[in-house]
Amino acid sequence: MKMPRTIKTYCPYCKHHTLQEVKKIKKKKSSEMKWGQRRFRKVTAGYGGFPRPKPEGREKPTRRVWLIHRCKECNKATQRPCFRAKKFELTE
């Protein structure tokens, strides 16, 4: 799916339609101090196998796309509900 980098859409802060810059959200690096990660390190440390079975089958055919719309007038950002797409590309 191709989507333009700037679109004219409703801004809830300005209360009217404005030009907005579209940006795709990328997954940030997870923290090593989270409890799930600490438990995972504890289980995998030392002698023994991997604690979980390897995922069977294949990946899902589509991925979720999360977008942020930043208003060019008030510079506030809003996140819209995500959607699924096989390919996603921001065009000029």
Side-chain angles (χ1 to χ4, degrees):
M1 176 182 182
K2 291 185 178 178
M3 189 172 197
R5 285 188 191 274
T6 55
I7 56 172
K8 190 171 185 180
T9 185
Y10 183 75
C11 175
Y13 300 100
C14 299
K15 305 242 188 299
H16 60 272
H17 283 70
T18 59
L19 268 177
Q20 297 191 15
E21 183 184 354
V22 180
K23 190 176 175 186
K24 186 179 174 189
I25 298 178
K26 294 178 182 167
K27 189 174 185 242
K28 67 175 187 172
K29 187 177 183 287
S30 60
S31 173
E32 288 289 321
M33 295 304 293
K34 294 276 178 82
W35 164 239
Q37 192 62 33
R38 296 199 314 265
R39 180 176 56 189
F40 179 76
R41 294 276 175 250
K42 186 171 70 175
V43 171
T44 52
Y47 181 77
F50 199 74
R52 294 176 194 85
K54 297 286 184 192
E56 293 290 325
R58 55 174 174 75
E59 285 188 0
K60 288 199 170 190
T62 57
R63 296 211 162 236
R64 279 191 176 144
V65 179
W66 296 88
L67 298 177
I68 279 186
H69 297 264
R70 186 171 295 280
C71 179
K72 291 201 171 183
E73 288 186 18
C74 64
N75 210 27
K76 296 258 186 170
T78 54
Q79 185 176 329
R80 304 295 162 88
C82 74
F83 56 90
R84 287 185 170 269
K86 281 190 175 186
K87 288 183 186 175
F88 183 76
E89 182 182 338
L90 287 171
T91 59
E92 293 303 319

